Amino acid sequence: MVHAQNNNWFIVTPPAVIVDNAAVTCNVIDCLGYDYAQIAVIIGATDIATVTLKVQESDTKSNTTALTSGVDVTGLVYGTSNNIAGSASALPLSTSDNTVQLFEIDLRKRKRYLLPAVTGGDGVAGTYYTVVAVLSRAEDLITTAAGRGCADILRV
């Protein structure tokens, strides 16, 4: 088995969302059946710093875009948590155009649902955000494109 072929891609926030002084609408990620997740927050053109960038978790969700009593995941809060180099992380700046901010999460001791919280600052135009999650280390072998969160898959 090729482990990279046992992932599930999940669009948390579709492309071309511009936010100015507001929260980004993110879809709740259901992690049932997976042991690892990566959540990529992709920042496009921006003229203002990001105000909030973190991941929350809960055992239940209120709807597709909200958790029930969600709490911040310790270690997954930009601006207060340390990065992989052991240094204090920083929120993306107004000069963070075309960058990826990544969360890596061992799901074995986490709650079932994750929800990124992203808020753009108050700029002239705002910031383009896209958020994508990759769930991996699935309990069961995934053999269809739809099962892997894709419309179709090509392979060579």
Side-chain angles (χ1 to χ4, degrees):
M1 170 176 52
V2 178
H3 293 287
Q5 294 175 350
N6 209 24
N7 295 341
N8 185 342
W9 291 78
F10 183 79
I11 298 174
V12 180
T13 302
V17 173
I18 191 164
V19 172
D20 189 48
N21 197 29
V24 174
T25 301
C26 292
N27 292 308
V28 173
I29 305 163
D30 185 352
C31 301
L32 184 65
Y34 296 91
D35 286 344
Y36 201 78
Q38 292 179 299
I39 301 172
V41 178
I42 303 159
I43 300 172
T46 183
D47 67 357
I48 190 69
T50 300
V51 176
T52 304
L53 185 55
K54 62 185 178 180
V55 174
Q56 296 187 315
E57 67 179 350
S58 178
D59 285 324
T60 56
K61 64 178 184 172
S62 304
N63 56 51
T64 58
T65 60
L67 298 176
T68 304
S69 302
V71 296
D72 293 353
V73 177
T74 301
L76 297 181
V77 179
Y78 274 83
T80 62
S81 302
N82 287 342
N83 60 27
I84 64 170
S87 304
S89 64
L91 286 162
L93 304 172
S94 61
T95 56
S96 297
D97 294 13
N98 304 314
T99 59
V100 177
Q101 308 297 320
L102 188 65
F103 296 99
E104 296 185 323
I105 309 155
D106 183 345
L107 298 173
R108 293 174 292 179
K109 297 180 183 177
R110 302 264 52 102
K111 297 182 185 288
R112 177 175 174 173
Y113 297 101
L114 297 176
L115 182 64
V118 183
T119 304
D122 189 4
V124 175
T127 305
Y128 286 97
Y129 293 101
T130 299
V131 184
V132 178
V134 179
L135 301 172
S136 59
R137 300 182 189 162
E139 292 175 1
D140 298 318
L141 182 62
I142 305 168
T143 59
T144 65
R148 291 182 46 203
C150 301
D152 205 357
I153 298 172
L154 302 180
R155 183 180 297 151
V156 292

